Amino acid sequence: MELLRPSSPEEATGALGNGSRALAGGTELVPLIRDGLVKADTLVEIRDVVPRGVTGTRIGAGTTLAELELDGEIPQALREACAQAASPQLRSMGTIGGNLLQATRCWYWRLGFDCWLHGGETCFARDGAQREHAVFGNDKCASAHPSDIAAALLALGATLRTTRREFAVAELYRLPTDDDRNVTTLAPDELILEIELTTPDASTYLKAMDRRKWSFPIVGVAAARFGGETRIALAGVAPIPWLLDSVAILDEATPLPGTGYKVEIARALVRRAIEAI
Amino acid sequence: MSEATVPKLELGRVGESLPRVDGIPKVTGEFAYSSDLQAAGMLWGHTVRSPHAHARVGTIDISAAVGMPGVHAVLTHEDIPGEKRYGLEFQDQPVLAYERVRYFGEPVALVAAEHPEQARRAAERIRVEYEPLEPLVDPERATEAEPLHPDRPTMGHGYRDDPRPNIVRSLVIRQGDPAAEGDVAVSGVYEIGIQDQAFLGPESGLAVPDGEGGVDVYVATQWLHVDRDQVAPCLNLKPEQVRIHLAGVGGAFGGREDLSMQIHGALLALHTNRPVKIVYNREESFVGHIHRHPAKIWAEHRASRDGRLVNVRVRILLDGGAYASSSTAVTSNAASFAVGPYAVDNALIESTCVYTNNPPCGAMRGFGAVQVCFAHEAQMDKLAEALDIDPIELRLLNALGPGGSLPTGQTITGTLPVADVIRRAAALDVPEAEELPRDPMRLPGGSGNTTRGEGVRRGVGFAVGFKNIGYSEGFDDYTAARVQLHADGSATVHCAAAEVGQGVANVILQVARTELGVRDVALAPHTTATVDSAGSASASRMTWMVSGAVRDACRAALEEWDKKGRSLEVDVERIYRHPRTTPLDPETGQVTGERAHVAYACAAMRVVAEVDVELGLTRVVWIGTAQDVGHAVNPQAVQGQIEGGTAQGLGLALMEEIQTRDGLITNASFTDYLIPTTLDMPPVVSELIEEAEPDAPYGVKGVGEPPTVVSTPAVVAALRAATGRELSRVPVRPDDIVGL
């Protein structure tokens, strides 16, 4: 395996594609390579070329979660989402850009089952253990997106600047289709450079977990209030982070027999999040 | 602990709270675990494992792996010079698979290479021809399925001859009139998921050839001599040509009682004539050791109007997985303790363990008593409610004690202060509910910041349980200790008792200092090379057994020293045996002698929990316990065992469960298999009930298992009290609670 250390974003994107992968904190990519879920002959170290740190409402994609959770200037929902993610060791290494591209924790996908998301025909969660799985957007693949931070950024209405374009964070994600099983719209040679926040009047992130700390969300709820408008997004409920256009959308959930409880949790947490802000 | 509360350490005798000899090195990172072992010229071993839970094994083509860079050996079952199967009690497990694989992760081939990565890559080049077979994964259908072990390895050992296929053991205990009616009956069906020992130090060890055809294996294990006795026949060596030395153990809890890398490492070392080290990764560790038996338990309790148990009927089904391990003893324990520490004249208990293609199960802290305690304590609470009697009063009314008898007909001859532990635990002050608002870390949901008090209800639960101390049913159990007195007044003790973190090294030293009256006692390395067996670090037996052996050896050494005029060096070895046990009658499950179990220890626990009933999230607020510990050799270590054992039971109550699909473990990582953190575990108030056990040296008892037995039902009882839910399956998770 080769490790490249480009000195500019242009040089980095030039080296990406063709099976090479971008390496930032490595907390996500390295385990995926170890487990054989990502194959890469070349890693492109982007630590020196992706911005890091917070300037006003702009966050460098290379900023670690640990740095963000301590920054009093950024909205509460994002700080809380960062503080509640993973463990201190992982937060010290993991970057916000990388976190947005986290792969699902779906066991079947992680074990390399020939599942629909891997390009196969079957979603194994649909007839197996499924309590961690999705309640929205789950007709093809019932995996759940684990990122706390993505839900917070969705609720905050953040925009992303990549090496190619600027767009709303919601547009980073797509439900996988028969033709394209990717869950993001990011091109193989595209790098997230910055995240631009809008500042809400108030925001929060609440996260229900199977353990009191250091675990992925059963359901995470981010809520942000902008004047009279409140935006809400959920983690852990769909193959991608899920924006709730209205609370009533919860009635349209399509839970599996083992995931109905997530809808109940989401309902209570959404109510509490709205009350909190 | 403030300095004033630390007893002044004069000598470190029995009864003193003595800091653990391995404590400071472990917390400062200086302690060498088995995975830290190194030797000059060392190779790395890697295990090729079955990706199927059940398959026929055809040809194994190693040709592509043999020539890979750095590779020194590639071995299959054809390279085993001796016995091809081994087992803790029954030789039913292939050293390397041939003909069939019966569980996911079963070892099939071995590679030794100069670098672990080279070994891993070579392993990927080995082509194994598998013909997948339908895996047997439903234990309730096991006796209707094709036999996984047509040769029935566990039959013909004095157990009931059960002709059904895939029976590891079935045991029926009948006492009194199984049809006896009471005034009130309650029933329930309970399920216990597969718990993992989840020790932090993965399986690892180093095998070093001795140049004369023999081998030294340095390994983290629980039972050195029985490791040796399983390794040697497979290598076609005499036992003395295989020496097992204890390497630093990073937790055991039963999971190291069976072999892991011992035979494999030794095979590779002898084949290459180089030291070979094998270290499992976390996923391998999950598939590479046995687990706690998942169980389904059907129970019916009948009682008189005044609350006395009249008849208890229990049916227990244990899933033993692919190989027998210690399942026959777990089956018997589950049956023995199915009623709980209560007196009842009429009982019918059926306990069955079956083979399946699920992960193999065997010893884990609590060993059969954990599963049934969850059921009998839920039943006692149901009965209390049906009778409208206070649940603690109901337990006191039926409490077993010395002179009472078990459904096996065994009379309790030693101490068993069940009523005492109930009263003392019930008398502990339960803390008042904390005021709101509070820090989220002091609310259900923890760092998830999910509530400020909304939806939170509080419940208090109580449970009592007991378990045997020591090996049972006629097993010839003994412990050896060897004591050397030196001319300078110091002493050395040799004992092969595995220090697995439970503190037995201190017990050995404390007993020796007590008997010899000298401070300067050294503990020689735990090994099969210099002393006879100490038996297993399991069944809460080690403190008792080691105390007896070291005491006897010390006394014999002093006698010898006196005889020799108090000047010469003395070196004596003594063997200690506990009172003899006899098997249970295979037809009635009744004792055939005075006792089937050596002795018992009990504990009672009270738990306060808060539950956010809208989200199903919990917080265990407080735990208070009273435990029957015999005479505490090292009270500080006893408290440590109580806290650790309680945490392990809390883990089973709230989150720990191995998940499988078609026999494949799907959550073999600490990211997906959750264990409690310090934030999930409240402070534990523990009361030690010190009644000297009459048959034991210094009146000691084992202490490691009773807290694990009682904490699972006590935590779940608190959740039931908070939610009103039946919660008949552990672990209890948010999906079992939400929607109230």
Side-chain angles (χ1 to χ4, degrees):
Chain A
M1 186 181 285
E2 199 180 0
L3 180 70
L4 301 180
R5 308 192 72 171
S7 51
S8 70
E10 295 72 29
E11 202 185 322
T13 53
L16 285 169
N18 291 326
S20 60
R21 298 294 289 245
L23 174 73
T27 56
E28 171 79 354
L29 184 64
V30 172
L32 288 174
I33 291 173
R34 184 198 61 203
D35 292 344
L37 291 162
V38 166
K39 302 251 187 270
D41 292 330
T42 305
L43 296 185
V44 181
E45 154 93 64
I46 56 169
R47 234 179 292 214
D48 296 334
V49 302
V50 167
R52 177 171 180 171
V54 182
T55 317
T57 55
R58 285 210 309 278
I59 298 170
T63 312
T64 66
L65 305 191
E67 289 162 342
L68 289 170
E69 72 183 270
L70 293 174
D71 193 321
E73 295 300 306
I74 66 168
Q76 192 72 10
L78 182 56
R79 283 183 62 190
E80 288 173 351
C82 290
Q84 292 176 22
S87 62
Q89 292 86 345
L90 292 170
R91 297 201 297 270
S92 294
M93 289 298 291
T95 64
I96 184 166
N99 184 283
L100 296 180
L101 304 174
Q102 253 184 303
T104 179
R105 297 301 311 174
C106 171
W107 298 331
Y108 308 109
W109 186 85
R110 292 251 161 196
L111 281 173
F113 275 60
D114 182 26
C115 74
W116 188 84
L117 193 58
H118 275 309
E121 299 295 319
T122 313
C123 173
F124 290 85
R126 300 197 73 89
D127 67 344
Q130 54 183 215
R131 64 178 290 277
E132 287 79 8
H133 287 78
V135 299
F136 285 109
N138 54 1
D139 56 328
K140 294 286 189 184
C141 165
S143 70
H145 198 276
S147 172
D148 303 303
I149 283 95
L153 292 182
L154 264 186
L156 291 167
T159 53
L160 302 182
R161 183 169 70 82
T162 72
T163 46
R164 292 185 177 190
R165 52 190 173 134
E166 279 191 45
F167 55 101
V169 70
E171 291 166 34
L172 176 63
Y173 299 104
R174 60 183 294 281
L175 278 174
T177 56
D178 282 322
D179 302 336
D180 179 356
R181 311 283 162 104
N182 282 307
V183 295
T184 76
T185 59
L186 205 68
D189 61 348
E190 185 178 12
L191 287 176
I192 301 174
L193 296 175
E194 278 185 334
I195 294 133
E196 171 85 43
L197 297 173
T198 46
T199 307
D201 297 318
S203 70
T204 191
Y205 183 69
L206 312 181
K207 179 180 180 183
M209 295 175 278
D210 276 319
R211 181 166 68 186
R212 293 170 63 74
K213 206 169 180 61
W214 301 350
S215 44
F216 288 100
I218 299 172
V219 177
V221 173
R225 184 168 55 76
F226 300 87
E229 190 207 357
T230 299
R231 285 172 60 92
I232 295 162
L234 308 183
V237 300
I240 58 175
W242 205 252
L243 188 66
L244 274 196
D245 290 332
S246 74
V247 175
I249 302 277
L250 285 170
D251 295 332
E252 294 166 23
T254 53
L256 307 176
T259 62
Y261 78 105
K262 283 195 172 190
V263 182
E264 300 308 313
I265 290 178
R267 217 180 282 285
L269 271 187
V270 165
R271 196 180 64 236
R272 291 180 189 181
I274 291 170
E275 282 167 11
I277 59 169
Chain B
M1 196 183 276
S2 73
E3 202 152 310
T5 64
V6 179
K8 191 157 179 271
L9 205 118
E10 291 292 347
L11 200 61
R13 295 175 200 254
V14 168
E16 291 179 27
S17 272
L18 190 69
R20 290 261 300 268
V21 289
D22 52 342
I24 300 291
K26 278 178 175 166
V27 295
T28 54
E30 285 170 53
F31 185 85
Y33 289 95
S34 53
S35 52
D36 298 319
L37 294 164
Q38 299 282 343
M42 182 177 88
L43 302 174
W44 291 79
H46 185 87
T47 316
V48 178
R49 295 174 181 278
S50 167
H52 304 284
H54 194 198
R56 244 184 271 289
V57 179
T59 55
I60 304 173
D61 179 3
I62 62 167
S63 55
V66 171
M68 297 272 290
V71 171
H72 286 248
V74 182
L75 307 181
T76 69
H77 67 91
E78 291 178 359
D79 301 296
I80 299 165
E83 298 284 340
K84 289 198 171 195
R85 300 197 299 182
Y86 72 97
L88 196 55
E89 295 180 48
F90 310 96
Q91 287 185 8
D92 67 347
Q93 186 154 2
V95 174
L96 292 169
Y98 56 94
E99 293 170 7
R100 253 217 259 205
V101 285
R102 294 178 182 82
Y103 74 97
F104 171 65
E106 181 160 354
V108 178
L110 302 168
V111 179
E114 286 172 18
H115 188 276
E117 189 59 23
Q118 290 173 324
R120 200 178 62 78
R121 288 188 182 201
E124 283 172 3
R125 302 286 290 274
I126 296 171
R127 293 282 159 262
V128 185
E129 197 177 77
Y130 292 108
E131 182 198 327
L133 301 168
E134 182 73 26
L136 167 54
V137 294
D138 180 357
E140 294 187 63
R141 314 218 29 201
T143 55
E144 302 156 18
E146 285 293 307
L148 293 172
H149 296 271
D151 54 343
R152 308 174 76 218
T154 58
M155 293 297 155
H157 294 271
Y159 305 137
R160 181 166 176 253
D161 185 17
D162 190 327
R164 294 174 295 168
N166 295 315
I167 296 285
V168 181
R169 183 179 181 185
S170 68
L171 172 65
V172 179
I173 296 174
R174 270 190 209 90
Q175 192 174 63
D177 174 12
E181 302 277 350
D183 300 319
V184 173
V186 293
S187 61
V189 182
Y190 304 93
E191 285 184 72
I192 295 91
I194 318 181
Q195 189 180 19
D196 191 76
Q197 293 82 358
F199 38 67
L200 296 187
E203 288 80 350
S204 49
L206 175 69
V208 184
D210 67 7
E212 296 169 6
V215 64
D216 289 86
V217 182
Y218 300 81
V219 63
T221 183
Q222 290 181 241
W223 193 353
L224 287 87
H225 285 74
V226 160
D227 278 9
R228 179 197 66 186
D229 294 346
Q230 293 173 89
V231 173
C234 298
L235 302 176
N236 201 22
L237 294 176
K238 298 186 188 111
E240 58 272 22
Q241 289 179 284
V242 176
R243 290 156 302 272
I244 307 284
H245 312 278
L246 187 70
V249 182
F253 315 111
R256 296 188 206 272
E257 202 170 44
D258 292 78
L259 297 182
S260 57
M261 57 64 64
Q262 288 90 327
I263 304 175
H264 299 159
L267 274 172
L268 289 170
L270 290 171
H271 208 86
T272 58
N273 205 28
R274 298 265 291 263
V276 175
K277 176 172 174 172
I278 298 180
V279 181
Y280 288 3
N281 65 26
R282 181 58 58 193
E283 185 184 349
E284 263 188 303
S285 178
F286 269 101
V287 302
H289 60 250
I290 50 80
H291 313 92
R292 186 189 300 293
H293 291 75
K296 190 165 181 182
I297 300 170
W298 295 259
E300 188 194 54
H301 283 54
R302 297 178 188 180
S304 60
R305 182 66 58 201
D306 64 1
R308 295 206 182 267
L309 285 173
V310 173
N311 188 359
V312 177
R313 293 155 65 110
V314 185
R315 185 155 62 89
I316 304 154
L317 179 63
L318 301 160
D319 183 350
Y323 294 103
S325 180
S326 51
S327 286
T328 55
V330 173
T331 310
S332 157
N333 261 27
S336 288
F337 310 122
V339 171
Y342 306 114
V344 64
D345 291 334
N346 308 295
L348 177 62
I349 300 156
E350 298 176 48
S351 180
T352 305
C353 181
V354 292
Y355 284 119
T356 66
N357 295 115
N358 288 321
C361 292
M364 184 174 170
R365 195 180 206 167
F367 203 80
V370 163
Q371 293 91 329
V372 292
C373 191
F374 175 62
H376 67 64
E377 287 307 274
Q379 285 288 101
M380 291 304 277
D381 282 341
K382 274 189 188 176
L383 196 56
E385 196 181 342
L387 288 163
D388 198 20
I389 295 179
D390 176 82
I392 291 169
E393 283 305 313
L394 181 74
R395 287 173 169 86
L396 279 172
L397 194 63
N398 290 287
L400 194 62
S405 74
L406 298 174
T408 55
Q410 179 173 341
T411 303
I412 308 288
T413 53
T415 59
L416 189 64
V418 176
D420 251 17
V421 296
I422 294 173
R423 284 197 194 97
R424 294 278 290 274
L428 292 171
D429 282 334
V430 170
E432 294 289 316
E434 294 159 55
E435 301 270 318
L436 292 169
R438 293 181 222 159
D439 185 306
M441 295 311 292
R442 304 194 69 79
L443 281 160
S447 68
N449 192 25
T450 49
T451 183
R452 289 165 299 174
E454 306 98 307
V456 176
R457 294 189 204 164
R458 180 179 155 104
V460 181
F462 195 86
V464 192
F466 77 142
K467 196 201 164 283
N468 56 325
I469 304 295
Y471 277 32
S472 308
E473 292 188 89
F475 187 87
D476 179 24
D477 196 21
Y478 68 90
T479 292
R482 179 175 156 203
V483 172
Q484 295 168 310
L485 302 182
H486 307 299
D488 64 358
S490 67
T492 303
V493 183
H494 297 260
C495 184
E499 172 58 80
V500 296
Q502 84 280 45
V504 74
N506 273 50
V507 173
I508 294 170
L509 292 171
Q510 286 177 264
V511 170
R513 286 170 184 154
T514 303
E515 292 297 329
L516 301 174
V518 294
R519 176 93 180 82
D520 191 2
V521 179
L523 180 56
H526 311 264
T527 171
T528 61
T530 62
V531 61
D532 200 343
S533 178
S536 177
S538 61
S540 295
R541 65 180 282 287
M542 218 37 133
T543 295
W544 175 324
M545 299 300 288
V546 152
S547 295
V550 176
R551 176 198 63 187
D552 292 356
C554 286
R555 289 180 185 176
L558 287 176
E559 215 170 282
E560 188 79 10
W561 185 60
D562 267 340
K563 269 194 219 154
K564 288 185 170 176
R566 304 192 163 201
S567 61
L568 297 166
E569 295 246 338
V570 168
D571 185 345
V572 301
E573 182 168 341
R574 288 291 180 276
I575 282 178
Y576 170 83
R577 283 184 164 78
H578 58 63
R580 212 171 145 246
T581 62
T582 57
L584 293 171
D585 183 280
E587 295 311 315
T588 63
Q590 296 297 296
V591 284
T592 54
E594 186 192 285
R595 47 181 125 188
H597 295 300
V598 181
Y600 304 89
C602 58
M605 191 172 283
R606 201 167 194 201
V607 172
V608 179
E610 290 179 335
V611 183
D612 181 337
V613 295
E614 282 191 310
L615 305 180
L617 305 181
T618 58
R619 172 192 175 214
V620 177
V621 176
W622 177 90
I623 295 179
T625 184
Q627 185 170 322
D628 156 34
V629 299
H631 180 205
V633 176
N634 185 345
Q636 187 187 64
V638 169
Q639 262 153 352
Q641 283 285 298
I642 290 174
E643 288 172 19
T646 301
Q648 208 150 19
L650 178 143
L652 176 60
L654 296 179
M655 60 188 83
E656 294 189 41
E657 183 177 8
I658 285 185
Q659 303 284 338
T660 59
R661 184 188 174 101
D662 300 332
L664 277 56
I665 297 182
T666 54
N667 60 340
S669 75
F670 282 156
T671 306
D672 294 314
Y673 180 95
L674 299 183
I675 54 177
T677 69
T678 51
L679 292 171
D680 298 279
M681 187 58 198
V684 176
V685 178
S686 52
E687 296 250 346
L688 309 186
I689 311 297
E690 292 197 69
E691 268 187 43
E693 171 66 24
D695 289 326
Y698 315 105
V700 303
K701 276 190 181 182
V703 300
E705 293 178 290
T708 308
V709 172
V710 290
S711 63
T712 305
V715 168
V716 177
L719 303 183
R720 285 192 196 105
T723 62
R725 288 275 165 114
E726 187 175 6
L727 306 180
S728 57
R729 186 183 195 285
V730 280
V732 174
R733 290 182 298 194
D735 32 327
D736 300 310
I737 297 172
V738 289
L740 275 175

